[in-house]
Amino acid sequence: MIRLTNVSKSYGKKLALSNFSYEFKDQKGYGILGINGAGKSTLIGCITNNLSYVGTIEYLGLTKYDIGYVPQELAIYPELSVLDNLMFFAAIHKMDQASAKKKALELIERTGLQDKTNDLAKNLSGGMKRKLNLITGLIHGPKYLICDEVCVGIDPISRRDILEYIKELQDEGLVVIYTSHYLDEIEFLCDKIIFVNEGHLLLEGSTAEISKEIVGKEDAGLSEIFEKLLRKDGE
């Protein structure tokens, strides 16, 4: 599991994350929700060790190679080919070349990029760049995949392909920690919902559990829950 205990992060005088405690265990998908500035990206940055923080984050039974990260900003090299991008990230994770190439070609095929294997990343469409961005976080075979707005700004077909592929990976045992402004993505991928507000853990549970507590019924959609929750928090 990934266990956070009293994790805080400040930017100057602004407290972006405040005494945040939570355990990410073996659920298929954790959806992190909150309005802009709630602390979602800061939380992701702390979990991935891309930000310094106060408090404790433990990776119990995991190594750094068991964590994959797909950022909102494209983390691919435009002057490298699709295959060479994957080989570069494989080298960072100290994979041997033969295993890395085999895994890279498998990922390329599963995301429908096989016709673009040797194309430069800069020449890919927006949706293809997002697919490549995703699989750079999967090249080393992580147990946990942390996704920050991975489908932002792409066409509906590419978005569907990416979401369905992530769903397949979850069914194969991958644990996904996912943040998005698109509530339908959270509903599709996540069986555990975490609401963050002003750097605090506001509420967590399954959609049905949160729905019953906030709306009074188990079958409310996330949009209805989110609206009522924020209205209630602002009272």
Side-chain angles (χ1 to χ4, degrees), residues 11-205:
Y11 300 99
K13 294 182 179 180
K14 178 178 173 54
L15 187 62
L17 209 61
S18 179
N19 292 320
F20 198 99
S21 297
Y22 193 75
E23 292 181 352
F24 296 94
K25 298 180 181 178
D26 57 356
Q27 299 287 330
K28 286 184 179 180
Y30 293 86
I32 302 175
L33 288 175
I35 61 174
N36 286 337
K40 303 185 303 297
S41 291
T42 297
L43 175 60
I44 293 294
C46 292
I47 294 172
T48 56
N49 279 314
N50 288 316
L51 292 174
S52 59
Y53 56 85
V54 176
T56 304
I57 299 181
E58 300 169 276
Y59 304 88
L60 304 174
L62 302 169
T63 72
K64 63 180 180 179
Y65 300 115
D66 291 322
I67 310 294
Y69 174 49
V70 186
Q72 179 177 347
E73 298 298 326
L74 291 173
I76 56 178
Y77 291 89
E79 299 296 336
L80 292 180
S81 70
V82 169
L83 178 58
D84 287 342
N85 263 282
L86 292 172
M87 294 299 289
F88 173 80
F89 284 97
I92 289 177
H93 289 93
K94 303 189 183 304
M95 295 177 68
D96 69 85
Q97 195 168 37
S99 297
K101 188 169 184 179
K102 180 180 179 182
K103 181 67 173 179
L105 293 174
E106 174 193 323
L107 291 170
I108 288 169
E109 183 173 358
R110 287 191 69 173
T111 48
L113 294 175
Q114 58 267 34
D115 292 339
K116 305 293 181 181
T117 300
N118 296 310
D119 288 12
L120 298 183
K122 68 180 182 181
N123 295 329
L124 300 177
S125 68
M128 290 177 179
K129 287 177 181 176
R130 283 288 165 190
K131 289 180 180 180
L132 178 57
N133 200 50
L134 171 65
I135 59 179
T136 58
L138 292 167
I139 185 65
H140 57 297
K143 297 177 181 177
Y144 279 66
L145 184 67
I146 301 170
C147 299
D148 188 5
E149 298 283 355
V150 297
C151 291
V152 65
I154 59 173
D155 64 275
I157 294 176
S158 295
R159 186 167 83 106
R160 179 204 63 196
D161 289 346
I162 288 173
L163 292 175
E164 288 182 350
Y165 179 46
I166 293 174
K167 189 74 168 179
E168 288 176 12
L169 294 172
Q170 288 178 298
D171 291 340
E172 294 168 10
L174 182 69
V175 177
V176 174
I177 300 173
Y178 197 92
T179 181
S180 174
H181 286 105
Y182 300 111
L183 297 182
D184 62 314
E185 294 181 7
I186 300 289
E187 287 180 314
F188 182 67
L189 293 174
C190 303
D191 46 12
K192 203 80 163 179
I193 309 299
I194 302 160
F195 282 97
V196 182
N197 192 44
E198 296 183 346
H200 295 275
L201 175 60
L202 186 60
L203 194 64
E204 66 86 24

